[in-house]
Amino acid sequence: TTGIQTATVTVSFSNGTNNAYTFTIQGEAVVPIPEIEIRGNGIAIPASGNLTNRIADNTDFGTTNEGSTIDRDFTIHNLGTGSLDVSSLVLGNPTDFALGNSGSSSIAPGGSTTMTIRYNALTSATHYSSITVSNSDSDENPYLINIEATATDAQYKPLTTGPDWTV
């Protein structure tokens, strides 16, 4: 039973010279519950989908040349008192982003695990995706993170040309 519980304890003595000693004890029973928090670069990312992607928390991967990759780590923390189970990690844009390391599927209270997301810069553009983390936290399931990255064309393109010169 959860909640505050009270009991009376009586200690009797067998030698017949001491009176019984009685006292009351009280304790609170709680149900262990998991509590998820995901951090990028040590900074907590809101569970309901960050509105602004930032380099500081790894939700903006930055810019790279076409044909390159960028890896970013996100750490899933269990701030609760019960085991946190991660049942799935789903990317909204699996063409431009891939799950490198999914981390552990069960996280002990006070523990953490790290997932790695890879950006594959296939075409010149800014690419967006979501990361949906299905888990056993009762009020933050699923945990949604938005991410972005930009690929640029690495080829040399002249700014201007003349009859016998190029700049």
Side-chain angles (χ1 to χ4, degrees):
T1 304
T2 61
I4 296 176
Q5 305 296 316
T6 304
T8 301
V9 177
T10 301
V11 178
S12 300
F13 298 95
S14 62
N15 64 8
T17 60
N18 294 331
N19 294 330
Y21 183 71
T22 302
F23 59 95
T24 303
I25 60 172
Q26 189 175 59
E28 183 175 5
V30 294
V31 174
I33 56 170
E35 179 61 32
I36 190 172
E37 179 180 83
I38 300 179
R39 300 176 194 165
N41 205 25
I43 300 170
I45 302 167
S48 57
N50 46 307
L51 299 176
T52 304
N53 294 326
R54 302 179 311 161
I55 298 245
D57 67 6
N58 285 348
T59 55
D60 182 341
F61 284 45
T63 302
T64 192
N65 293 330
E66 273 185 51
S68 299
T69 61
I70 301 173
D71 289 347
R72 292 290 181 257
D73 291 334
F74 297 91
T75 305
I76 304 171
H77 292 267
N78 182 2
L79 306 178
T81 56
S83 180
L84 175 69
D85 296 318
V86 176
S87 54
S88 71
L89 301 168
V90 177
L91 294 168
N93 176 356
T95 301
D96 297 305
F97 295 89
L99 181 61
N101 171 33
S102 62
S104 176
S105 62
S106 183
I107 306 165
S112 65
T113 190
T114 300
M115 64 176 165
T116 302
I117 306 297
R118 170 167 283 176
Y119 171 57
N120 299 305
L122 302 175
T123 58
S124 290
T126 298
H127 300 101
Y128 301 91
S129 184
S130 59
I131 307 169
T132 303
V133 181
S134 297
N135 66 86
S136 60
D137 184 320
S138 64
D139 65 344
E140 293 171 312
N141 180 35
Y143 201 110
L144 176 67
I145 299 172
N146 295 308
I147 57 175
E148 73 176 75
T150 302
T152 59
D153 186 355
Q155 296 178 6
Y156 169 74
K157 294 182 181 177
L159 299 176
T160 185
T161 59
D164 56 356
W165 54 271
T166 301
V167 177

